[in-house]
Each structure stands twice: as structure tokens, then as C-alpha cells.
Amino acid sequence: MRIACIVLIAAGRFAAAQSSVDSQLAAEIAKIKAIDNHAHPVRPALGSDKDNDYDALRVESMEPYTEPVRTREGTPLVLDAWRALFGYRYTDRAPDHVRELRDRKKQLLEEKRDGYANWVLDQLGIETMLANRVAMGPGLAAPRFLWVPFEDALMYPLSNATLAARNSDRKAFYADEERLLQRYLKESGVKEPPATLDLYLQKVVTPTLERHKRAGAIAVKFEAAYLRSLSFEDVPRAEAVRIYSGAHALPATEAAYTKLQDFIFRYIAEECGRLGMAVHIHAAAGAGGYFHIAGANPLLLEPLFNDPKLRKTNFVMLHGGWPFTREVAALLAKPNVYADFSEQTFMNYPRAVAQVIREWLEYAPEKVLFATDAYPFSDEMSWEEAGWVATTTGREALGLALTEMMRDGEITRDRALELAGMVLRDNARKLYQLK
Ligand SMILES: [Zn+2]
């Protein structure tokens, strides 16, 4: 019911687009309790207890860049989210109005404490959120929140000085990865990366993945596109062994280090197949003025998807490859490859997202997943607001895509309803074998 109200409020701002969504379909879509394939919820923290585990590479450390219009400071979407989530009564951001909102949020946090994040999910019509975080903690508990840890750090056991020197964003990102590797080394009971690659895989990489699995992880996440290209070559083990050991005497060249990373990445992907964890890959343009968009083209992942050794591993292209969304449609033909449309749903307008969803649904509807990428971007757009924008836009875009397919005689109304359920929850339920 609550969600129906949210959608009605949203309809105000998206009036033109909303008017062409079939009303029965819109009502059904609003009712479906979703599984959110990818998000960064923040632990409800009171007082000085601050949560920094919502991302391994936090975007606050980046140089300023030209942000997409919809997520810029001052976007009217934030006001819509405040109205829907926190009963905000104003159409402006006057300081005393914003102060009232802050007090309301604080009051809700104090009232609900560890139940706050669950309450947010209820407002968003989300039953289960895959929480892509460094660690979980009080207030983000299964079954509502399921863990997706980061594994990039394991790919960088050698000196990262040359890679970090490329620009200030990379410098901050590699420092973050080095800190996380230190954490994984410590948790694995070693002080530094062991002398040989075999020992490193045996004593650090596999135990870290197994630890994550034991702690409830259903998938692992790579933010590799922020650090390097998504082209992961199939490097012979002997060559990787040589590069790893050789680096004790002389730092590896960038080309050699890339090969070592490629080998470790594929090793992790294969291990994830064995352990039954899906591999999530950021495959889309990303934040920042130095982000290498061409290096994030999902077509670069094709050799990986085509490797028979990795057919037991399920891969999910997060953010659906934007702007390479048509390439993503073609890649969905691989039996173990999926995509979600997160990030697009707060960066882009519903009609643009609808076109993408339609193209995928016309090709491989079992592989399409709903996701928000709810993220604490700023004080005014935290994960609650970003989640609201993404879920509202996502449901509307899905409604538009299905309505158009129905009107063009491609599918019946019953099939449209079935597809809505598949995208919003059933595809994810099957992929992660959720009850
Ligand atoms: Zn994300």
C-alpha cells in the first residue's frame, strides 16, 4: 500500500512518462516485493559510531567532475524522496526545513535502531537487498540483507606505486585496496603476502573466499573497472608464478603485473564457481573524471565468459554496461551471464532505462535483474534517497518497457505480469537459490 502511494507521488514529477504505462501493470509492479541485486546500505549508527564499510573505494575521495544532471546537488528528485520517505512538507531546501528533516531522520534512527534499515526497505518495497559492503554489522541482518564482499584487493599483492601514480583518483583507490588487502592478510593469519604464488593462493586467496562464504556471502564483487581494464587474459600458471616470485628481486613491469592480476582474477572466479558464489563485476561507466570508460566495455569480458573452466561460475554485469547496453544484450546469450540495471536508474530518465530493459527482455528475459545501487552519495542523497529514486525510476521504466511490448503485440498481459515478477524477484531468487 505504502509503495502504491510512493508511486503516485512520483507520478507527479514523471507525469508525461507515467501516463503511458498501463495502469493495471503499474499497480501490479508497485505491489511486487523486490530483490535488489546490488546496493550499498549504510549501517544505522548512532552518535560517534560512523559506518565506513559501505564501499571498498569510496567516491568522496575523488577529484570533482561533471556529474549527471539527475544526481547533481540540488536535484528535485531528493525532495520527492524526502516527501515519500520522511513526510517532508516543503518544496524548497530552506535551512530550517532541512534541519526539521534531519531531526526527523535522527528521531527515526533512535526509535528504530537496528530495525531502521529494514524499515527503509519496507518503504522501498524491497524484501531482500544484496548489500555490497566490506563488512556487515548490527542493523543489516539476513534475511533482509545478504552480503556481497569485495575481492579486488586480492589481485594486488605486489607494489602498486606505478599504478597509483597515474592520477589522484587511482592513488586514493589503490591506497584503499592496500588497506583492504592488509585486513584480508591479517584475517588469514599472515603478516605479508607469502613468498610464492602457490602459497599466496593457498594461504590467503582461497581462505578469504571461504571465510566470506561462511559469513553468509552469496556473491562477490569486483570494482576492477575503477582500477584497470576488464580484459582478463588467460595467463598460464607458470608465467604467473614467475612474475610473482620475480617481483622480490625487481618490481614487475606494468604489463607483467597485469598478467598476474588476470591470473588471480580467473583463479578467484573459478573458486567462486566451486563455492557457489556469483561474481559481480562493475561493467559500465563509473564515477570520476579519470574513469576509463572504454576499459569498462563489457565486451572485454567475453573471453572470460567463453572459458569452459568458468562455466560453473555465474557472472553478473552490474549496471548493465551503460553506455554499452546493446553489447550486454548480446552477452546474455552466454548461459552463465546476467545483468542488472542499477546505476542507470538514478543517472538516466525512465524512458531511456525502459529502452534498455525492453531490448534485454526481448532477448533473454531470464537474465534481467532489478537493482538500485542505493549509495550514500552525499548528506542530502544518502542510500535511502538514492534507493527511492532508483526503485521509483526502475519500476516505472519496467512498466514502460512492458507496456510498449504489450501494445506492439509482442506479449500478452499475463506474460507482461510474469516478466515483471521475474525481473523484480524471481530471476534473482533462482540465480542465488533463495527461498
Ligand atoms: Zn555499487
Side-chain angles (χ1 to χ4, degrees):
M1 209 47 227
R2 175 81 200 177
I3 274 302
C5 299
I6 291 173
V7 169
L8 283 177
I9 295 163
R13 185 160 313 281
F14 304 130
Q18 186 80 7
S19 67
S20 57
V21 180
D22 177 89
S23 59
Q24 191 201 342
L25 212 51
E28 291 297 323
I29 287 173
K31 270 192 273 183
I32 299 172
K33 299 271 177 254
I35 297 173
D36 181 349
N37 184 65
H38 173 72
H40 305 264
V42 177
R43 212 156 44 70
L46 291 164
S48 58
D49 173 22
K50 196 169 177 331
D51 175 25
N52 283 326
D53 282 340
Y54 55 81
D55 197 355
L57 304 176
R58 285 183 285 128
V59 296
E60 302 89 306
S61 46
M62 285 187 316
E63 261 183 43
Y65 68 107
T66 309
E67 266 193 67
V69 165
R70 280 189 113 213
T71 55
R72 278 183 204 175
E73 211 184 317
T75 173
L77 292 171
V78 165
L79 298 182
D80 292 340
W82 287 349
R83 272 192 289 273
L85 296 171
F86 305 111
Y88 193 67
R89 295 174 291 146
Y90 311 101
T91 51
D92 57 34
R93 284 173 164 84
D96 48 331
H97 297 162
V98 174
R99 208 170 309 122
E100 197 182 305
L101 171 93
R102 292 244 161 84
D103 291 346
R104 172 76 187 130
K105 266 196 185 179
K106 213 171 132 215
Q107 183 202 353
L108 276 167
L109 258 171
E110 274 161 10
E111 247 171 60
K112 302 190 183 297
R113 302 203 156 235
D114 283 354
Y116 176 78
N118 287 359
W119 174 84
V120 173
L121 292 195
D122 292 340
Q123 311 312 302
L124 302 178
I126 293 172
E127 181 177 286
T128 308
M129 179 176 265
L130 272 63
N132 185 199
R133 294 175 46 91
V134 172
M136 300 298 267
L140 295 175
R144 299 296 298 273
F145 292 92
L146 300 175
W147 192 30
V148 180
F150 296 92
E151 310 298 356
D152 295 271
L154 296 168
M155 287 166 63
Y156 303 96
L158 305 185
S159 163
N160 300 302
T162 313
L163 300 176
R166 187 150 303 158
N167 59 57
S168 59
D169 289 359
R170 292 247 167 132
K171 187 172 171 213
F173 289 160
Y174 278 106
D176 286 341
E177 295 300 355
E178 284 172 2
R179 252 193 310 277
L180 190 53
L181 180 60
Q182 282 308 315
R183 184 168 174 161
Y184 290 167
L185 290 171
K186 200 171 157 205
E187 288 170 0
S188 305
V190 302
K191 279 204 184 66
E192 53 188 31
T196 66
L197 180 60
D198 284 338
L199 282 173
Y200 177 61
L201 299 175
Q202 223 178 81
K203 294 209 177 297
V204 180
V205 178
T206 289
T208 298
L209 297 171
E210 288 176 343
R211 234 173 17 249
H212 289 166
K213 169 82 182 176
R214 275 198 305 277
I218 62 164
V220 304
K221 158 82 179 297
F222 284 93
E223 299 186 291
Y226 279 94
L227 302 157
R228 46 155 291 157
S229 120
L230 291 186
S231 167
F232 301 104
E233 262 183 67
D234 194 3
V235 176
R237 190 181 187 102
E239 195 178 352
V241 164
R242 251 192 332 267
I243 295 165
Y244 186 96
S245 300
H248 297 305
L250 195 71
T253 63
E254 197 172 330
Y257 193 13
T258 303
K259 285 188 174 183
L260 176 64
Q261 295 157 23
D262 293 353
F263 178 87
I264 297 172
F265 177 90
R266 281 174 175 255
Y267 175 86
I268 294 172
E270 200 173 342
E271 282 289 80
C272 286
R274 177 179 71 83
L275 293 166
M277 296 190 285
V279 173
H280 287 188
I281 304 173
H282 175 114
Y290 291 117
F291 188 93
H292 185 218
I293 299 167
N297 187 333
L299 272 189
L300 295 172
L301 296 166
E302 194 180 13
L304 188 77
F305 296 160
N306 281 349
D307 185 344
K309 290 194 298 292
L310 298 176
R311 278 287 152 99
K312 285 201 188 77
T313 305
N314 287 314
F315 293 96
V316 186
M317 296 176 281
L318 300 189
H319 322 312
W322 190 89
F324 312 103
T325 54
R326 182 163 273 187
E327 285 81 345
V328 164
L331 288 169
L332 294 179
K334 317 289 177 190
N336 51 338
V337 173
Y338 298 74
D340 78 31
F341 49 81
S342 61
E343 186 188 275
Q344 296 183 42
T345 42
F346 49 75
M347 265 177 10
N348 303 337
Y349 284 90
R351 203 165 282 282
V353 184
Q355 275 169 8
V356 172
I357 296 177
R358 177 174 179 171
E359 192 156 23
W360 295 354
L361 288 182
E362 287 173 340
Y363 197 73
E366 312 75 15
K367 304 295 199 61
V368 183
L369 306 169
F370 166 84
T372 63
D373 201 13
Y375 190 95
F377 290 100
S378 63
D379 254 4
E380 67 161 44
M381 200 195 267
S382 191
W383 75 283
E384 301 97 315
E385 289 86 1
W388 185 86
V389 172
T391 195
T392 308
T393 302
R395 283 173 204 260
E396 190 181 338
L398 177 61
L400 277 169
L402 293 170
T403 300
E404 286 169 9
M405 289 167 74
M406 222 163 62
R407 287 185 186 151
D408 288 347
E410 294 174 14
I411 51 170
T412 62
R413 178 172 295 275
D414 281 350
R415 178 62 174 161
L417 290 171
E418 189 184 17
L419 288 174
M422 284 162 61
V423 171
L424 284 161
R425 53 179 294 129
D426 295 336
N427 289 345
R429 219 161 50 182
K430 261 194 204 143
L431 170 58
Y432 303 110
Q433 295 171 12
L434 305 177
K435 280 181 203 87

